[in-house]
Amino acid sequence: MVRAQAERTLRGRVAVIGIGETDYFRHGASPDPEFKLALKAILAACADAGLDPRDIDGFASYSEDRSDASRLAAALGTRRLRAATMQWGGGGGGCCAAVANAASSIVAGLADCVVVFRSLAQGQYGRFGQTTGIDTISGEKAYLMPYGVLAPPQRFAMRVRRYMHEHGVRQDAMRAIALASYHHAQANPRAVMHGKPLDEAKYDASRWIAEPFHLYDCCMENDGAAALVLVPAERAGEFRHKPVYVLGAAVGSGYRTAAMPHNSPLYASASFDTVAPDLYRMAGLGPSDVGVVQCYENFTGGVVMALAEHGFFKPGEANDFLTVENLTAPSGRLPLNTSGGNLAECYMHGFELVLEAVRQVRGTSTSQVQRNDVAMVIGGPMVTPVSNLLLGSEASL
Amino acid sequence: MSSKAIPTYLPAGLPIPIAEPDGLSAPYWAGLRENRLLVQRCSHCNTWQFGPEWICHRCHAFDPQWTEVEPRGRIFSWERVWHPSHVALAQHGPYLAILVEIPQADGVRMVGNLLGDPLQNVAIGTHVEGVFEHHAEFDPAYSLLQWRVHGP
């Protein structure tokens, strides 16, 4: 029997029943090694759900996470390992894709209880922002690194500069994103930047990293781990919390986005030109249905592009839309990064954003929004592949 | 070559570009050492592409030919880098990296440095011309393609 395209969907088929995380640390400050952090986050997610960790039968992660599924399964006494998926490439662009892969494993009948996680201890391994000890280089990096285009801010600043040029976006729009993230972090005791507020003057006076990025336009680097647990929707009622449903997810990028170096045809873009329509199509929703957004901020400029590509405003309207008032809970037009996100809560490679979207739908965020039936997560603007996710309450199904 | 170091835009110590083990980009790097800019152009459908690929992305003919182009272009985007991300740049001030589009090669783009004052005003659309920067004293020797403002 040939199934109709419309039946091939994640919508309403899978529920998040548990979330967990470790304490978040500045990079290099974790007392625990990375693998132990992963175990702690997974156990916390299971405790949150009221689930025996031995009932997990699948693991999903992204960005070449080093905590291997088989090693986790052995350590946890997993009775039966049935799914081990890793999203290829994309760095933080995989944070929603990992959830999609886990959900797909469940919908396809390959597994029944999958934990999605990301673990980072940059004191134990190399940092993202530093490049040393390499003598020769080939491939894409050979066209960039000898010219001093080395670390992520330098690789993305030119893309944002071009976008600002094409659409008349001003620095103020990027500043508003940073201020909203720091504002929300002040209400969040878990946030690494809790107790360290940011204002316009402090942003403006901060040093340039790579123009047009000030210090506060760039994400932090942190140690920690975060995890969530997915089960089939029909089992959602067995657990402790109100379930949060996957409404849709999408992964990928458009035409020749990976053409190197800096030769993507749609260069001034966050790479969501094809991926955002896929997400809305699966969920049967549009931008006006979304009450709160958690958007990966490698750099604030990528958030500007990503929000525009998801239809929240036209690129030429960015300066008017992106104001602190519009972006803050509880009642802004589009509350953004309500835990503080990569800029101010913790850089858990975007997975902290997925957990915050779950909290918003549950109604347990430290910056709860008024309209929380549908929450969006956007992973990895400007990289490839990127991914995104819509989560919703039972009422949204 | 003289053993005397020739002034370069960025200090020594950054990674040296080499071709991949499979040799895909070898003609490009060899061309720069001879003051020639080589870009792939498919001999079947005339599509330009950069960086190099084993296949023409348009017609799927393998092994696109290498064609010499004049190193002239326009600034497509730019950045002024202040934070050093490599030990070789730790005591170095800001520097300019630009993305240049090359009209003769259907607008393919390449990254280089803009020579001159690192604090100069930079404008998208400015015409630039290539300058071959040779690093003959290194092992392996290599050359980079830099850019300077050209005309009005």
Side-chain angles (χ1 to χ4, degrees), chain A residues 131 148 158 211 260 263-264, chain B residues 51 77 79-80 86 95 109:
Chain A
T131 316
M158 285 192 280
E211 295 175 43
M260 66 176 194
N263 273 272
S264 358
Chain B
S77 195
E79 64 189 20
R80 194 177 346 257
H86 192 283
Y95 58 93
R109 301 188 285 257

Side-chain angles (χ1 to χ4, degrees), chain A residues 131 135-138 142-143 147-148 151 154 157-158 162 165 207-211 256 260 262-264 267, chain B residues 10 15-18 25 29 50-53 57 76-77 79-83 85-86 95 109 113 124 145-146:
Chain A
T131 316
D135 294 330
T136 61
I137 197 85
S138 61
Y143 306 104
Y147 301 100
Q154 301 154 5
M158 285 192 280
R162 181 72 197 185
H165 171 80
R207 63 193 172 95
W208 290 112
I209 299 298
E211 295 175 43
R256 278 176 64 74
M260 66 176 194
H262 292 241
N263 273 272
S264 358
Y267 178 72
Chain B
L10 292 176
I16 292 173
I18 57 168
S25 63
W29 296 112
F50 188 80
E53 296 174 47
H57 69 263
F76 188 78
S77 195
E79 64 189 20
R80 194 177 346 257
V81 179
W82 294 81
H83 181 77
S85 292
H86 192 283
Y95 58 93
R109 301 188 285 257
N113 299 119
I124 287 173
L145 180 58
Q146 305 289 24

Side-chain angles (χ1 to χ4, degrees), chain B residues 22-131:
Chain B
D22 64 12
L24 175 61
S25 63
Y28 172 76
W29 296 112
L32 293 189
R33 293 206 62 201
E34 300 164 358
N35 296 322
R36 299 167 72 213
L37 174 58
L38 299 178
V39 175
Q40 280 186 334
R41 187 184 200 192
C42 176
S43 57
H44 295 267
C45 74
N46 294 324
T47 296
W48 295 89
Q49 62 189 23
F50 188 80
E53 296 174 47
W54 283 116
I55 191 169
C56 167
H57 69 263
R58 183 158 173 264
C59 76
H60 298 169
F62 277 98
D63 306 315
Q65 285 191 342
W66 289 92
T67 303
E68 184 169 359
V69 299
E70 282 289 309
R72 294 194 177 206
R74 292 183 302 241
I75 296 176
F76 188 78
S77 195
W78 65 280
E79 64 189 20
R80 194 177 346 257
V81 179
W82 294 81
H83 181 77
S85 292
H86 192 283
V87 65
L89 300 169
Q91 303 305 318
H92 190 75
Y95 58 93
L96 286 167
I98 60 173
L99 183 59
V100 177
E101 61 173 344
I102 302 186
Q104 191 197 331
D106 195 31
V108 299
R109 301 188 285 257
M110 43 194 72
V111 170
N113 299 119
L114 182 65
L115 302 181
D117 182 357
L119 296 178
Q120 68 187 286
N121 287 324
V122 185
I124 287 173
T126 300
H127 289 261
V128 290
E129 65 178 0
V131 177

Side-chain angles (χ1 to χ4, degrees), chain A residues 185-206:
Chain A
Q186 304 320 306
N188 176 3
R190 300 180 310 275
V192 173
M193 290 299 173
H194 180 72
K196 296 192 167 67
L198 179 66
D199 60 24
E200 291 186 358
K202 194 171 168 189
Y203 171 97
D204 290 345
S206 69

Side-chain angles (χ1 to χ4, degrees), chain A residues 12 23 49 63 236 280 284 369:
Chain A
D23 287 340
S63 198
Y280 287 130
V369 299

Side-chain angles (χ1 to χ4, degrees), chain A residues 61-320:
Chain A
S61 191
Y62 59 101
S63 198
E64 290 75 53
D65 190 286
R66 287 170 287 249
S67 296
D68 176 73
S70 292
R71 187 180 169 200
L72 288 168
L76 292 169
T78 299
R79 286 186 274 261
R80 193 159 76 121
L81 177 63
R82 299 174 68 200
T85 57
M86 174 62 70
Q87 174 66 18
W88 253 357
C95 67
C96 297
V99 178
N101 291 339
S104 302
S105 297
I106 291 171
V107 169
L110 298 173
D112 285 314
C113 181
V114 181
V115 64
V116 194
F117 70 97
R118 182 76 174 111
S119 49
L120 281 169
Q122 296 202 57
Q124 194 180 355
Y125 299 97
R127 286 183 62 188
F128 288 104
Q130 291 291 329
T131 316
T132 50
I134 305 167
D135 294 330
T136 61
I137 197 85
S138 61
E140 179 174 33
K141 289 176 178 175
Y143 306 104
L144 304 175
M145 293 175 76
Y147 301 100
V149 179
L150 302 143
Q154 301 154 5
R155 294 170 64 93
F156 293 113
M158 285 192 280
R159 197 181 276 259
V160 171
R161 171 68 70 196
R162 181 72 197 185
Y163 189 85
M164 294 169 80
H165 171 80
E166 289 184 7
H167 302 291
V169 177
R170 293 190 298 267
Q171 195 82 36
D172 302 7
M174 286 154 55
R175 182 177 66 188
I177 290 165
L179 294 183
S181 295
Y182 270 77
H183 174 81
H184 292 136
Q186 304 320 306
N188 176 3
R190 300 180 310 275
V192 173
M193 290 299 173
H194 180 72
K196 296 192 167 67
L198 179 66
D199 60 24
E200 291 186 358
K202 194 171 168 189
Y203 171 97
D204 290 345
S206 69
R207 63 193 172 95
W208 290 112
I209 299 298
E211 295 175 43
F213 298 149
H214 279 282
L215 173 67
Y216 292 107
D217 292 301
C218 306
C219 66
M220 300 185 287
E221 295 178 77
N222 298 112
D223 293 351
L228 65 76
V229 185
L230 291 172
V231 298
E234 52 270 27
R235 287 190 58 200
E238 298 172 21
F239 301 94
R240 184 175 292 156
H241 290 283
K242 188 175 83 170
V244 173
Y245 294 90
V246 172
L247 303 179
V251 184
S253 46
Y255 174 65
R256 278 176 64 74
T257 300
M260 66 176 194
H262 292 241
N263 273 272
S264 358
L266 199 55
Y267 178 72
S269 153
S271 318
F272 284 99
D273 52 314
T274 57
V275 180
D278 271 356
L279 176 68
Y280 287 130
R281 195 177 304 117
M282 180 180 284
L285 298 172
S288 62
D289 299 306
V290 177
V292 57
V293 173
Q294 316 298 330
C295 182
Y296 191 95
E297 338 84 304
N298 34 14
F299 306 100
T300 54
V303 179
V304 180
M305 300 174 181
L307 294 177
E309 288 165 29
H310 283 80
F312 294 109
F313 50 82
K314 293 189 169 65
E317 300 164 351
N319 298 317
D320 296 328

Side-chain angles (χ1 to χ4, degrees), chain A residues 354-370:
Chain A
V354 185
L355 268 59
E356 175 63 8
V358 173
R359 282 189 208 99
Q360 283 289 354
V361 176
R362 283 181 173 182
T364 59
S365 170
T366 49
S367 292
Q368 189 61 43
V369 299
Q370 285 173 352

